[in-house]
Amino acid sequence: LAKTTQPISMDSYEGQEVNITCSHNNIATNDYITWYQQFPSQGPRFIIQGYKTKVTNEVASLFIPADRKSSTLSLPRVSLSDTAVYYCLVGEFLYNQGGKLIFGQGTELSVKP
Amino acid sequence: EAQVTQNPRYLITVTGKKLTVTCSQNMNHEYMSWYRQDPGLGLRQIYYSMNVEVTDKGDVPEGYKVSRKEKRNFPLILESPSPNQTSLYFCASSWGGGSAVEQYFGPGTRLTVT
């Protein structure tokens, strides 16, 4: 499992763009970068995944540079409802075998009015 | 509706009284796991299971047991709960193992041990 490092917390204001960076220097060839969002007292939910370059969906964008040693989750024009903990996971798809999953502390994003 | 269910959602118990938290999924998923979440410590995996009768330890298995007798169910057992097991617990399931596979989480069980 590739070790990841992300900021413990971030503050923002409504309407701003928020970028959360995750460092993963030991990422392996078969590893993907996956982000989850967790609202207070709820289970995490998958929001976006990528392998390289840029991925965009209705919730966020994920930017991955060519060396893949880091990735940036971008939330456009955040609102109060984007206040949550965001987790970065790096690893591969395993078929017919299990393994540990490490979510860590994540980044606690607080959006203020 | 595809979902992971946990019961009970809230539980207050006393030290040493055995308890079981149930987890069930209706997505025919192979991989199931349990996590605990504590302030400042994030989400930590307790146990995981890749298949029926196959379970393995996560990062914090001490004081917990699990069983996987059926594919859809993965109960968490605390045989002698202690106050340091007061926490928010989540069950999750997915079609496969590995960090790239999307995990589906249950709504959580808030446990208080006095």
Side-chain angles (χ1 to χ4, degrees):
Chain A
L1 294 174
K3 179 175 166 56
T4 61
T5 303
Q6 52 183 123
I8 295 296
S9 64
M10 293 180 70
D11 291 330
S12 182
Y13 291 93
E14 283 191 294
Q16 289 187 333
E17 179 183 73
V18 171
N19 295 309
I20 306 174
T21 297
C22 180
S23 298
H24 29 81
N25 291 319
N26 297 322
I27 189 167
T29 302
N30 292 335
D31 287 347
Y32 286 73
I33 299 146
T34 307
W35 286 82
Y36 286 79
Q37 176 188 57
Q38 184 183 23
F39 297 119
S41 297
Q42 294 185 27
R45 67 165 188 149
F46 171 99
I47 53 171
I48 199 165
Q49 182 179 75
Y51 185 81
K52 61 181 179 181
T53 62
K54 176 184 173 183
V55 180
T56 297
N57 62 23
E58 66 279 3
V59 177
S61 294
L62 179 59
F63 298 91
I64 305 167
D67 66 6
R68 305 205 320 130
K69 292 184 184 300
S70 67
S71 57
T72 298
L73 177 74
S74 180
L75 304 172
R77 297 180 298 282
V78 294
S79 65
L80 296 176
S81 63
D82 291 312
T83 293
V85 179
Y86 294 83
Y87 298 93
C88 167
L89 276 71
V90 173
E92 60 185 328
F93 290 94
L94 294 177
Y95 305 92
N96 300 318
Q97 60 176 307
K100 285 186 184 180
L101 296 185
I102 299 176
F103 278 78
Q105 290 193 57
T107 297
E108 186 169 4
L109 173 64
S110 177
V111 180
K112 302 173 182 175
Chain B
E1 180 191 354
Q3 60 182 348
V4 177
T5 57
Q6 295 180 225
N7 283 291
R9 294 290 313 280
Y10 302 91
L11 180 59
I12 300 174
T13 189
V14 296
T15 299
K17 185 176 181 182
K18 181 179 178 180
L19 66 91
T20 299
V21 184
T22 64
C23 172
S24 184
Q25 50 92 5
N26 62 1
M27 295 170 278
N28 201 34
H29 282 167
E30 303 284 346
Y31 187 91
M32 297 185 74
S33 56
W34 276 102
Y35 300 82
R36 63 176 290 174
Q37 186 166 39
D38 304 288
L41 297 177
L43 203 60
R44 295 179 293 169
Q45 193 177 45
I46 303 171
Y47 268 96
Y48 61 91
S49 168
M50 189 57 207
N51 214 329
V52 173
E53 302 294 359
V54 179
T55 63
D56 213 338
K57 296 178 181 178
D59 283 331
V60 289
E62 295 78 22
Y64 304 94
K65 284 178 59 177
V66 292
S67 69
R68 187 94 182 268
K69 293 183 168 52
E70 305 166 280
K71 194 174 184 179
R72 62 181 294 134
N73 297 322
F74 191 45
L76 180 69
I77 303 156
L78 285 73
E79 298 218 323
S80 183
S82 63
N84 64 13
Q85 292 178 298
T86 291
S87 186
L88 179 57
Y89 291 86
F90 290 101
C91 180
S93 74
S94 63
W95 60 260
S99 300
V101 181
E102 180 178 353
Q103 301 295 311
Y104 293 81
F105 282 82
T109 295
R110 189 168 294 279
L111 171 66
T112 302
V113 184
T114 61

